[in-house]
Amino acid sequence: MKRFLTALCALLMLLPATAGAAGAWLPYWDASAALEEAGAFAPQLDRVCAFAASFDEKDRLTLPDEAASLLLDLQVTFAGTDTQVYLSVVNDRQTRSGAEGKSTALLRRLLSSDEAITRHIDDLIMLVDSTRVEALEIDYENLGDDTALWQRFTLFIRELHAQLARDGISLRVVLPWDAPKYATLPQGPEYSVMCYNLYGPHSGPGPKADFAFLDEIASLYAALPGPVRMAFATGGFDWSAAGVESLTQQQAETRLSRLGVTPTRDAASGALTAEYSLDGAAHTLWYADSQTLLAWQERTADFAGFDLFRLGGNSLNDLFSTTITKENAP
């Protein structure tokens, strides 16, 4: 695998570099496929994020072995390049009874007081030191409309940035689409805005983003200090009476091809959609391909760059044929 990636990276370095700044997250649970795609797009990537460190049942930072291995692979692959390798930290919590995803209660504990913030920053710096990363990403979600929690969060971000900057460590912060409604965010970090989850398991069928949604996000973030990047989600969801299933682009395309169904492109979002029957049940599928991602990027072209969640499960032939040859595209 490493020999293949090295050869592929060398070949792609001969292609013209694109003008846009493109970043991507690589999840540790799909590391092999994600690393293959990262290698394929190496000349176009200026950010890669190893996803992710989290917390245990005692609120201690933990880095799964698979995530540590992924981070090391990225550090080796991109050594000596201009691509920044980030370690992402999420507010997921592993307990004896199972996973507690995007825990608001955890954030309230970590940020409950100035002393708690100081302890948490100390723990993060120890993680940075132990992994030798030169860039850290904070991806804490589910703050909702709790303005008091947002105030604690912005204080935490300001102090964390100051301490990391003294050591030459870059900081970026992942934000929900509507964060400026609840907080005045500090200058210093780079921000990546989640331009997705418009439709999903919480709703009926629809695309992960549409143009009206992106226009609203662009308006909210137009005056945010510092570099702001737009983050788009690959793949999509399939809705049926049995529930909502998450699918990668490859999974969606394989399923439709097997059924002989041709998707249509939605004019309001650029996403692909199809309705079909499987085992007697009606299904509605929405997903993004490279044309979708390009359309979303062009809709938010005034910002500093864009990021993809995630690598792994995308159709490389599709991305190469449509996106890699475009200006300001991955």
Side-chain angles (χ1 to χ4, degrees):
M1 174 63 71
K2 289 185 178 179
R3 185 175 301 171
F4 164 77
L5 291 180
T6 300
L8 187 56
C9 287
L11 174 62
L12 291 174
M13 286 301 291
L14 300 176
L15 295 172
T18 57
W25 286 274
L26 289 81
Y28 70 78
W29 59 85
D30 197 12
S32 179
L35 284 167
E36 181 176 348
E37 292 184 17
F41 285 100
Q44 282 69 40
L45 293 173
D46 69 340
R47 307 279 189 275
V48 286
C49 302
F51 194 85
S54 57
F55 296 83
D56 67 12
E57 61 184 4
K58 295 184 178 179
D59 296 351
R60 295 175 300 197
L61 277 168
T62 61
L63 184 63
D65 291 341
E66 300 94 332
S69 178
L70 169 62
L71 176 61
L72 182 58
D73 283 340
L74 290 175
Q75 290 170 319
V76 171
T77 298
F78 291 97
T81 73
D82 293 332
T83 300
Q84 283 191 294
V85 177
Y86 284 79
L87 173 59
S88 187
V89 183
V90 299
N91 58 315
D92 293 346
R93 191 166 170 266
Q94 299 296 325
T95 69
R96 293 179 182 177
S97 57
E100 183 183 332
K102 310 304 180 188
S103 172
T104 306
L106 170 65
L107 294 183
R108 291 197 173 105
R109 292 193 295 272
L110 294 176
L111 310 178
S112 61
S113 65
D114 293 351
E115 293 77 11
I117 287 176
T118 297
R119 286 194 300 271
H120 184 39
I121 290 175
D122 289 344
D123 290 343
L124 287 167
I125 290 175
M126 288 179 61
L127 179 64
V128 167
D129 290 342
S130 66
T131 55
R132 299 183 179 180
V133 296
E134 297 179 353
L136 183 70
E137 177 183 83
I138 297 298
D139 182 6
Y140 293 171
E141 300 177 31
N142 274 354
L143 282 77
D145 59 359
D146 187 338
T147 54
L149 183 57
W150 273 109
Q151 288 179 355
R152 302 300 301 169
F153 180 75
T154 55
L155 174 62
F156 158 66
I157 291 300
R158 186 179 296 109
E159 294 187 1
L160 176 61
H161 175 264
Q163 292 203 38
L164 291 177
R166 286 196 289 268
D167 295 329
I169 305 297
S170 299
L171 174 67
R172 65 184 238 143
V173 181
V174 178
L175 295 174
W177 74 270
D178 57 351
K181 293 182 178 181
Y182 311 113
T184 300
L185 294 155
Q187 188 169 6
E190 176 179 277
Y191 295 103
S192 184
V193 183
M194 295 184 291
C195 300
Y196 45 90
N197 294 337
L198 179 62
Y199 294 90
H202 61 283
S203 72
K208 289 188 175 182
D210 62 23
F211 298 134
F213 180 55
L214 295 178
D215 289 346
E216 185 176 1
I217 294 172
S219 177
L220 281 172
Y221 279 89
L224 194 73
V228 178
R229 298 162 67 103
M230 298 288 118
F232 308 126
T234 60
F237 294 104
D238 184 292
W239 284 261
S240 70
V244 182
E245 180 184 8
S246 176
L247 296 175
T248 67
Q249 179 189 3
Q250 288 179 349
Q251 290 170 333
E253 291 177 346
T254 298
R255 178 174 298 181
L256 293 181
S257 176
R258 187 174 68 247
L259 295 171
V261 175
T262 300
T264 59
R265 194 170 300 278
D266 174 52
S269 66
L272 291 168
T273 184
E275 294 186 356
Y276 61 92
S277 179
L278 182 63
D279 297 328
H283 288 251
T284 301
L285 172 64
W286 286 81
Y287 71 96
D289 68 352
S290 64
Q291 291 187 39
T292 312
L293 298 172
L294 183 62
W296 290 347
Q297 185 208 353
E298 290 175 343
R299 199 75 177 199
T300 56
D302 291 338
F303 291 88
F306 71 102
D307 303 307
L308 294 179
F309 189 88
R310 60 176 175 92
L311 294 188
N314 302 299
S315 171
L316 289 181
N317 288 336
D318 171 49
L319 291 173
F320 278 137
S321 64
T322 304
T323 315
I324 202 169
T325 58
K326 300 290 186 179
E327 287 294 307
N328 300 320

